[in-house]
């Protein structure tokens, strides 16, 4: 039996994904709420001092989820249709997103100096990045899934570089745990490396396209 996919189906997929992200990013605040429900009176200064680790974990994960949503939004802005493989890759992306509040709670309780917790946190990010990379690759492989006006402009280079940098960060967080989650600052290299790769690719195309003589 043929599977019928419609524009409404794509809208439902995007709306469902947005709802799951909204719930995940909302759950991040629960550890902060717990700081106020332990039966004790707190001043603002005591909350900041006693809950510093919790606030840090919240800030990190809020930025992480927001960044992942932006990447997901960018990819799906290029699409006019989707495939079954893309649907299941998106479910994998969502599974990693909804796991982030759990890993955030671990960061709040164990701190950012625990190599095992840091490794689990970064591993979750690797699944998120890898699944979005798979969605992009599926869209690039089948250009008919892309909107006609932007067809051919979607690239996987950026997500691939981010995935490589996360894998490097995962190794470093295990072999050099003293740096902790600061290894995630390696991700700031993604944009410069992508621009460098794009310039080199452009020079190669110019060289190869130049007539002999």
């Amino acid at each position: 039996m043929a599977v019928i996919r419609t524009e409404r189906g794509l809208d439902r997929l995007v709306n469902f994904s947005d709802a799951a992200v909204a719930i995940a990013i909302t759950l991040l605040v629960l550890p902060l709420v717990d700081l106020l429900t332990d039966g004790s009176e707190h001043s603002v200064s005591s909350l900041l001092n006693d809950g510093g680790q919790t606030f840090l974990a919240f800030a990190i994960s809020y930025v992480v989820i927001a960044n992942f949503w932006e990447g997901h939004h960018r990819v799906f802005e290029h699409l006019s249709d989707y495939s079954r493989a893309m649907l299941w890759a998106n479910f994998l992306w969502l599974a990693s997103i909804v796991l982030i509040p759990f890993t955030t709670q671990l960061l709040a309780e164990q701190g950012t100096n625990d190599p095992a917790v840091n490794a689990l946190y970064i591993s979750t990010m690797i699944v998120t990045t890898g699944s979005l990379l798979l969605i992009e690759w599926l869209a690039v492989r089948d250009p008919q899934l892309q909107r006609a006006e932007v067809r051919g402009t979607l690239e996987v280079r950026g997500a691939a570089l981010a995935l490589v940098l996360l894998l490097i960060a995962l190794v470093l967080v295990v072999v050099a745990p003293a740096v902790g989650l600061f290894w995630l600052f390696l991700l700031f290299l993604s944009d410069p490396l992508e621009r460098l790769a794009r310039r080199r690719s452009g020079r190669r195309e110019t060289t190869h396209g130049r007539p002999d003589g």
Side-chain angles (χ1 to χ4, degrees):
M1 181 179 178
V3 177
I4 300 176
R5 297 192 304 271
T6 64
E7 184 176 343
R8 181 171 179 269
L10 180 62
D11 289 341
R12 291 189 66 195
L13 172 61
V14 172
N15 291 338
F16 178 77
S17 301
D18 287 348
V21 173
I23 292 172
I25 210 167
T26 302
L27 289 175
L28 294 179
V29 79
L30 293 183
L32 298 179
V33 174
D34 289 340
L35 294 176
L36 298 173
T37 57
D38 59 1
S40 303
E41 293 186 2
H42 300 278
S43 65
V44 174
S45 59
S46 66
L47 280 174
L48 293 176
N49 289 330
D50 299 339
Q53 199 72 46
T54 303
F55 281 101
L56 177 61
F58 169 82
I60 292 173
S61 293
Y62 190 93
V63 172
V64 165
I65 293 181
N67 184 69
F68 282 142
W69 180 88
E70 189 278 332
H72 187 273
H73 175 72
R74 173 183 55 82
V75 172
F76 276 83
E77 278 287 276
H78 285 75
L79 303 182
S80 61
D81 199 358
Y82 64 99
S83 65
R84 184 171 178 82
M86 194 177 290
L87 175 67
W88 285 104
N90 190 69
F91 275 123
L92 178 60
W93 185 84
L94 288 174
S96 62
I97 286 291
V98 299
L99 189 62
I100 289 177
F102 168 72
T103 55
T104 302
Q105 181 68 29
L106 286 178
L107 284 178
E109 293 182 355
Q110 304 296 328
T112 57
N113 296 320
D114 189 323
V117 172
N118 292 341
L120 178 60
Y121 191 86
I122 294 177
S123 296
T124 304
M125 295 178 65
I126 288 173
V127 175
T128 313
T129 304
S131 53
L132 186 60
L133 173 60
L134 177 57
I135 293 172
E136 288 189 85
W137 179 77
L138 290 168
V140 170
R141 190 185 66 167
D142 188 356
Q144 294 304 313
L145 297 176
Q146 302 176 40
R147 291 163 44 211
E149 62 270 27
V150 293
R151 189 168 294 152
T153 62
L154 192 62
E155 296 181 346
V156 301
R157 184 185 293 122
L161 283 171
L163 181 61
V164 170
L165 291 172
L166 279 171
L167 289 169
I168 294 173
L170 177 61
V171 173
L172 292 175
V173 86
V174 174
V175 301
V179 181
L181 285 181
F182 286 109
W183 285 119
L184 288 177
F185 280 109
L186 287 172
L187 291 174
F188 285 111
L189 296 175
S190 181
D191 285 342
L193 289 174
E194 185 179 0
R195 288 195 294 269
L196 179 61
R198 190 179 294 116
R199 285 199 297 268
R200 288 186 174 180
S201 177
R203 285 198 294 267
R204 284 198 299 268
E205 290 176 0
T206 301
T207 302
H208 292 161
R210 186 181 301 150
D212 296 334

